[in-house]
Amino acid sequence: MDLQLSIILPTYNERENIVKILERLDELLRQIPHEFVVVDDNSPDETWAVVQELQATFPNLTLIRRLNRKGLSTAIVEGFLAARGPKLLVTDADLQHDLSRIPELLERSQQADLVIGTRYETEGAMDGWDPRRMRISELGTQLAQRFLTQPVSDPLSGFFLIDRVVFHQLAPTLNSNGFKLLLEILIKHPELSYVEVP
């Protein structure tokens, strides 16, 4: 079957998590042809070395080890540009996102350019967050929403899917030096259609 989905995993000191997330994703997506692109910022804990070893187990695993380059947004952009699937998804490697929602995100991508995993719609959650962290996140989200023309509930989400053709069209317009790539995409490209999944 043709490749359907590329999953980009930006990593920095995720040695303890990387095996768990790859195994969980591979099991979850066993009916969906997929690939993994791990973009590691030369982690001091040598996450990149673990990924190199895992390539013998996961033939659909690509590693990008970045030397003298750091930053979440730039890592995501490099991963997206290296990916081969028609749909591109980014998720954290620390297992904080609800990975079980990925098939739904992929299904909903037939309706929109962007599919955003949101913490603020019905059923969305921030399990394990203390009240202070939740409040900071909420304030940051409210501030970000002031720059948008779209009523996106979670413009700071790090869990989203975008069409590959669409991304390659807008990629030259992105600065990508910031911390939140999704917010930059939404600000610079309000014409994109989107849906949100809790």
Side-chain angles (χ1 to χ4, degrees), residues 179-198:
F179 184 68
K180 292 296 183 180
L181 181 64
L182 176 61
L183 178 60
E184 183 181 4
I185 291 172
L186 290 169
I187 289 173
K188 290 185 175 178
H189 297 278
E191 76 280 3
L192 295 180
S193 60
Y194 73 93
V195 292
E196 294 187 281
V197 172

Side-chain angles (χ1 to χ4, degrees), residues 160-181:
F160 65 94
L161 184 150
I162 189 168
D163 183 88
R164 181 173 179 267
V165 172
V166 171
F167 179 77
H168 277 268
Q169 290 172 344
L170 61 84
T173 70
L174 301 176
N175 177 26
S176 74
N177 288 323
F179 184 68
K180 292 296 183 180
L181 181 64

Side-chain angles (χ1 to χ4, degrees), residues 19 92 113 123:
V19 178
D92 289 345
D113 300 317
E123 299 178 56

Side-chain angles (χ1 to χ4, degrees), residues 91-185:
T91 183
D92 289 345
D94 59 8
L95 300 167
Q96 289 201 17
H97 292 143
D98 185 356
L99 304 178
S100 69
R101 295 285 190 169
I102 292 177
E104 183 180 356
L105 267 68
L106 182 60
E107 183 180 346
R108 299 290 298 277
S109 71
Q110 306 305 316
Q111 307 164 7
D113 300 317
L114 271 171
V115 185
I116 302 166
T118 176
R119 298 163 287 182
Y120 299 107
E121 292 290 327
T122 305
E123 299 178 56
M126 292 176 277
D127 294 337
W129 284 30
D130 62 60
R132 181 175 177 274
R133 186 180 180 192
M134 288 181 65
R135 184 60 182 149
I136 291 171
S137 176
E138 289 167 358
L139 289 172
T141 297
Q142 291 168 10
L143 178 62
Q145 287 169 333
R146 295 182 182 180
F147 295 94
L148 301 178
T149 58
Q150 318 96 309
V152 178
S153 70
D154 197 357
L156 301 181
S157 177
F159 186 38
F160 65 94
L161 184 150
I162 189 168
D163 183 88
R164 181 173 179 267
V165 172
V166 171
F167 179 77
H168 277 268
Q169 290 172 344
L170 61 84
T173 70
L174 301 176
N175 177 26
S176 74
N177 288 323
F179 184 68
K180 292 296 183 180
L181 181 64
L182 176 61
L183 178 60
E184 183 181 4
I185 291 172

Side-chain angles (χ1 to χ4, degrees), residues 1-136:
M1 294 177 67
D2 292 337
L3 183 64
Q4 293 183 29
L5 178 66
S6 296
I7 302 173
I8 284 65
L9 295 159
T11 58
Y12 189 76
N13 288 343
E14 296 289 355
R15 185 184 189 95
E16 299 302 316
N17 292 325
I18 193 63
V19 178
K20 297 175 189 175
I21 193 167
L22 289 174
E23 289 178 344
R24 182 183 289 186
L25 286 169
D26 221 32
E27 174 63 21
L28 178 68
L29 302 172
R30 60 187 181 278
Q31 301 299 326
I32 300 171
H34 60 279
E35 68 169 350
F36 302 115
V37 180
V38 174
V39 186
D40 185 77
D41 282 358
N42 200 33
S43 295
D45 74 350
E46 296 190 349
T47 301
W48 51 269
V50 176
V51 175
Q52 283 180 330
E53 294 175 3
L54 288 170
Q55 287 179 304
T57 305
F58 295 92
N60 57 342
L61 172 59
T62 297
L63 169 66
I64 300 174
R65 180 186 176 191
R66 305 201 309 166
L67 303 177
N68 304 313
R69 300 196 309 285
K70 293 195 185 313
L72 181 57
S73 288
T74 58
I76 296 169
V77 168
E78 285 196 40
F80 280 172
L81 292 175
R84 298 176 295 117
K87 302 295 181 180
L88 314 175
L89 180 136
V90 61
T91 183
D92 289 345
D94 59 8
L95 300 167
Q96 289 201 17
H97 292 143
D98 185 356
L99 304 178
S100 69
R101 295 285 190 169
I102 292 177
E104 183 180 356
L105 267 68
L106 182 60
E107 183 180 346
R108 299 290 298 277
S109 71
Q110 306 305 316
Q111 307 164 7
D113 300 317
L114 271 171
V115 185
I116 302 166
T118 176
R119 298 163 287 182
Y120 299 107
E121 292 290 327
T122 305
E123 299 178 56
M126 292 176 277
D127 294 337
W129 284 30
D130 62 60
R132 181 175 177 274
R133 186 180 180 192
M134 288 181 65
R135 184 60 182 149
I136 291 171

